[in-house]
Amino acid sequence: MCGIVGYIGEQDAYPILIKGLHRLEYRGYDSAGIAVANSGDELKIYKAKGRVDDLEEFCRSKDISGNIGIAHTRWATHGEPSNANAHPHYSESENLALIHNGIIENYAVLKQQLINKGFHFRSNTDTEVLVQLIEYIKDLNKVDLCTAIQLALSEIVGAYAIAVLEKGVTDRIIVARKSSPLVLGIGDNEYFIASDASPIVEYTNKVIYLEDEEIAIVSRNEPPRILTIKNVEKSHEIIELEMNISQLEKGGYPHFMLKEIFEQPQTLRDCMRGRIDISCQHVVLSGIIDHKERFLDARRIIILACGTSWHAGLVGKYLFESFCRIPVEVEYSSEFRYRNPVIYPDDIIIAISQSGETADTLAAVELARKSGAFVYGICNVVGSSIARNTDSGSYTHVGPEIGVASTKAFTAQLVVLSMMALCIAREKKTIPDERIKALLKELNRIPDKIEKILQSNELISDLSKIFTYAHNFIYLGRGFNYPIALEGALKLKEISYIHAEGYPAAEMKHGPIALIDTEMPVVAIATDNGMYEKVISNIQEIKARNGRVIAVVSENDTVVKSIADYVIEIPATEDCFDPLLTTIPLQLLSYHIAVNKRRDVDMPRNLAKSVTVE
Ligand code: M6R
């Protein structure tokens, strides 16, 4: 939901800002802009509708010199994607330029008040209201920019990460955040500002994560000064990043999504490393062991998440209920936070989020913590807001996921949930140690089995050509594979723009079966596990109505092969780990269909990787 980047130092700001925008483009990509202040007392803004490439093209013939600047890549909330609505926004006098990630909820009232005072607006954005308000307060009260920003932000309802430049001031950028992320990079005589660490990592590994309602004065040649909105001085620990540049590049793959699909054997090994011992006797998650009593006494688990992470949560329900005998509810964060939910102090809340910044999940976490429940986070982005706002947790450790469609983060979420369920089951003694050992051994084998499935990439690519022009798809699965049917449908929708629905296979006959005809491809997950015979009956029902079935089956299957139109074989595994394997061919199928349709796989229309607005 918008990426912001800033630079102050001795280098030319423009190339650093543009590169930073490319790194943050996954957060929004409908328009982009840049403001650079130079010693000639100018504060110039350049903006373009479209991608960062379009902005670069627009800037090609311009003089954008200066060693202090801010830049923005937008995901539209208020106002359509256009040059006028792109950030940065000027204040009335054009003395201030501001970029913003978030939403100003009370913008309409403030805008009307400013119009009544004679202000003019050039855009339809909520952001322009903020920069105008800052200027109004600054001039009215004759205060410095930092104080004006503090006063303006006290009047704001909503979420923001902002950076502000002032005309004629070439030694300072002022930034602030609330509910939207902001990282400061500390270099040698230079400072970086960004929505996440990816634009910073090639210049320095030293960062500071700003907290909510903090403001930082980032000045040339001196460490950032951090205050709260209420003007209390703060000190911050400098954190060392572990990210490296190769994780941010495609490494020879045509798309990040394909790279991330193929990384999964390694990312899952990384996720398990140091947590499952060599002999597979134990799984040690310190986030659980350090709070063992809370888990042993848990009355209930509530899993909170959105999108793909919510699908991981559904698999988690099956895992915790069958291994730990703890009742589990899986909630969309966006519904939970507004529902006045019943939360008991002995509930365990598990928040799942790749980005760790999803606004609804963050708000749901805050609500749960206020009710006294213990909150556990499963996040990928280290230092993210959800990771910092939970009582305990486990990182997925898959490195940056850049493709908007989540792949490697999803499978790692499943692995963390599996390890959690086995760790709790061991402490609760709900399953025998021998069985835990067997399951851990099998979990350890999963990366090798995924490697084998990835060898079917060509076959799946060929299969995708048959279905590229289908208008609808249905995905079916049962038991542990029901959430994977939902996830397969979501992957196809978001990157190919084909309508797709996931269903528990047995629910078909309660309505959706009316949709089946020769034009309807049905992807059925029919591995030789718990519900095998039942799924075969469901496939028969589809075939009896002339549906076209693509089945994901276990190696050496003969029965489904004789009924389905096409099959994709995967290695056998335990029922509970099936989702880790069955999801891989569905990721590849979606990817190839989207490529065949010439979709922008890594940056599909209307989407953003990190949904930091509600
Ligand atoms: O960062 P999060 O895991 O909290 O994100 C949740 C969803 O926005 C995300 O999973 C989304 O559904 C993906 N684009 C799916 O591929």
Side-chain angles (χ1 to χ4, degrees):
M1 296 289 114
C2 303
I4 70 175
V5 52
Y7 174 77
I8 178 167
E10 285 158 13
Q11 302 186 58
D12 223 4
Y14 176 75
I16 294 172
L17 296 173
I18 286 291
K19 204 167 193 185
L21 286 185
H22 277 298
R23 295 244 192 268
L24 291 177
E25 214 169 2
Y26 73 88
R27 298 178 67 87
Y29 34 82
D30 60 45
S31 54
I34 195 162
V36 177
N38 64 31
S39 49
D41 197 21
E42 285 179 317
L43 177 55
K44 290 187 193 157
I45 288 181
Y46 303 92
K47 320 200 260 194
K49 183 179 168 191
R51 300 284 163 95
V52 177
D53 282 343
D54 297 302
L55 175 67
E56 272 188 277
E57 189 52 43
F58 176 71
C59 290
R60 210 169 293 283
S61 53
K62 316 267 186 307
D63 168 25
I64 310 179
S65 53
N67 47 28
I68 172 169
I70 55 177
H72 185 273
T73 179
R74 181 169 186 249
W75 186 87
T77 57
H78 298 61
E80 58 173 14
S82 67
N83 287 346
N85 289 333
H87 302 208
H89 290 286
Y90 275 131
S91 58
E92 184 79 13
S93 66
E94 301 194 356
N95 280 338
L96 303 179
L98 178 145
I99 51 174
H100 169 221
N101 164 211
I103 285 187
I104 311 297
E105 289 176 17
N106 57 338
Y107 82 101
V109 178
L110 294 169
K111 185 171 182 175
Q112 194 52 55
Q113 288 170 357
L114 288 162
I115 289 171
N116 295 346
K117 291 181 194 311
F119 281 74
H120 302 89
F121 284 81
R122 307 168 180 97
S123 78
N124 300 317
T125 64
D126 51 339
T127 301
E128 195 184 2
V129 174
L130 179 55
V131 69
Q132 300 277 42
L133 180 65
I134 294 169
E135 179 161 286
Y136 170 68
I137 289 175
K138 184 172 183 291
D139 293 347
L140 182 74
N141 299 304
K142 309 223 174 328
V143 290
D144 61 23
L145 180 59
C146 180
T147 308
I149 294 174
Q150 286 171 313
L151 293 172
L153 293 178
S154 310
E155 293 189 28
I156 291 298
V157 178
Y160 53 79
I162 58 166
V164 190
L165 276 186
E166 187 174 7
K167 189 173 177 176
V169 180
T170 55
D171 60 359
R172 192 177 61 208
I173 304 173
I174 300 186
V175 301
R177 71 150 274 182
K178 182 184 175 196
S179 304
S180 293
L182 199 62
V183 189
L184 307 181
I186 317 292
D188 290 336
N189 297 324
E190 58 183 356
Y191 298 96
F192 305 84
I193 293 151
S195 299
D196 70 28
S198 59
I200 295 175
V201 69
E202 66 191 275
Y203 309 103
T204 175
N205 66 348
K206 295 190 177 55
V207 296
I208 291 174
Y209 289 96
L210 278 199
E211 301 285 349
D212 268 356
E213 304 207 346
E214 284 183 349
I215 181 163
I217 304 166
V218 186
S219 304
R220 203 179 287 284
N221 300 328
E222 56 185 83
R225 182 173 165 221
I226 302 173
L227 304 153
T228 66
I229 302 302
K230 298 200 164 57
N231 211 31
V232 178
E233 293 276 348
K234 296 291 289 279
S235 65
H236 267 273
E237 189 193 348
I238 295 180
I239 291 172
E240 298 226 344
L241 291 172
E242 282 173 14
M243 202 184 280
N244 66 57
I245 280 292
S246 67
Q247 292 175 313
L248 303 172
E249 285 165 358
K250 287 191 196 142
Y253 286 91
H255 298 99
F256 280 109
M257 182 181 177
L258 192 62
K259 177 187 177 221
E260 287 158 6
I261 291 173
F262 272 82
E263 277 175 350
Q264 287 174 108
Q266 190 52 42
T267 52
L268 297 191
R269 288 184 192 112
D270 293 342
C271 180
M272 287 187 265
R273 183 170 306 117
R275 292 165 162 177
I276 299 177
D277 72 336
I278 306 243
S279 59
C280 294
Q281 304 272 4
H282 306 300
V283 52
V284 180
L285 290 173
S286 55
I288 291 183
I289 302 300
D290 294 349
H291 304 274
K292 194 166 114 182
E293 301 310 322
R294 298 293 305 236
F295 286 88
L296 291 179
D297 297 343
R299 171 199 293 235
R300 175 176 68 156
I301 292 175
I302 302 175
I303 299 181
L304 303 173
C306 303
T308 288
S309 298
W310 186 81
H311 297 151
L314 286 181
V315 177
K317 176 182 171 73
Y318 286 74
L319 289 165
F320 289 119
E321 291 194 341
S322 55
F323 293 163
C324 316
R325 308 307 298 148
I326 304 175
V328 181
E329 288 167 26
V330 187
E331 301 259 8
Y332 285 117
S333 310
S334 52
E335 290 298 315
F336 181 85
R337 63 180 288 200
Y338 287 117
R339 214 193 50 231
N340 192 13
V342 177
I343 308 171
Y344 301 110
D346 51 357
D347 279 340
I348 298 269
I349 310 288
I350 301 177
I352 309 177
S353 175
Q354 185 286 129
S355 62
E357 300 294 347
T358 299
D360 284 320
T361 305
L362 184 56
V365 161
E366 280 162 5
L367 175 72
R369 288 193 82 191
K370 278 191 197 128
S371 307
F374 182 82
V375 184
Y376 197 94
I378 301 177
C379 297
N380 188 40
V381 178
V382 176
S384 54
S385 300
I386 293 171
R388 286 182 291 124
N389 277 289
T390 41
D391 297 300
S392 178
S394 300
Y395 283 115
T396 45
H397 289 312
V398 300
E401 187 182 67
I402 294 171
V404 163
S406 186
T407 53
K408 64 176 181 175
F410 175 65
T411 46
Q413 289 165 348
L414 300 184
V415 165
V416 169
L417 288 162
S418 304
M419 291 191 294
M420 285 180 73
L422 292 171
C423 184
I424 298 168
R426 188 165 182 275
E427 297 299 330
K428 282 192 81 176
K429 306 205 180 314
T430 38
I431 43 177
D433 283 354
E434 276 313 299
R435 179 74 183 130
I436 293 183
K437 188 173 167 185
L439 287 167
L440 288 175
K441 276 202 161 140
E442 180 56 18
L443 188 55
N444 247 328
R445 286 192 280 263
I446 291 293
D448 294 346
K449 293 187 177 184
I450 293 180
E451 250 157 27
K452 195 155 182 215
I453 299 171
L454 291 171
Q455 290 168 11
S456 308
N457 185 35
E458 283 300 307
L459 180 147
I460 296 171
S461 167
D462 291 345
L463 184 60
S464 74
K465 297 190 178 92
I466 303 169
F467 294 99
T468 297
Y469 299 102
H471 293 294
N472 299 286
F473 263 82
I474 288 180
Y475 286 70
L476 301 178
R478 295 188 73 160
F480 279 100
N481 280 317
Y482 155 53
I484 302 307
L486 301 183
E487 174 59 9
L490 177 63
K491 283 290 86 87
L492 186 71
K493 272 186 271 209
E494 67 178 334
I495 59 168
S496 71
Y497 321 148
I498 296 174
H499 170 244
E501 292 194 49
Y503 266 95
E507 273 296 302
M508 279 298 283
K509 54 181 143 332
H510 299 289
I513 203 161
L515 296 168
I516 301 297
D517 61 17
T518 52
E519 301 293 306
M520 177 65 85
V522 178
V523 179
I525 306 172
T527 48
D528 189 5
N529 265 322
M531 310 285 252
Y532 181 59
E533 274 83 19
K534 308 261 180 224
V535 176
I536 291 175
S537 306
N538 300 137
I539 294 176
Q540 295 282 20
E541 291 156 12
I542 309 282
K543 287 308 300 173
R545 287 154 185 88
N546 298 321
R548 289 191 295 167
V549 174
I550 306 159
V552 177
V553 299
S554 305
E555 272 167 356
N556 307 321
D557 178 282
T558 50
V559 183
V560 180
K561 262 190 196 156
S562 67
I563 322 169
D565 299 83
Y566 308 93
V567 294
I568 305 169
E569 287 190 297
I570 63 167
T573 185
E574 292 275 355
D575 205 8
C576 58
F577 301 140
D578 230 16
L580 283 160
L581 302 186
T582 53
T583 199
I584 307 293
L586 305 193
Q587 293 172 349
L588 287 170
L589 184 64
S590 306
Y591 170 78
H592 288 297
I593 290 178
V595 169
N596 299 343
K597 290 178 85 75
R598 298 185 189 285
R599 301 303 193 211
D600 193 337
V601 172
D602 287 332
M603 288 186 267
R605 71 182 180 199
N606 303 337
L607 295 179
K609 181 80 183 157
S610 190
V611 185
T612 54
V613 295
E614 60 173 296

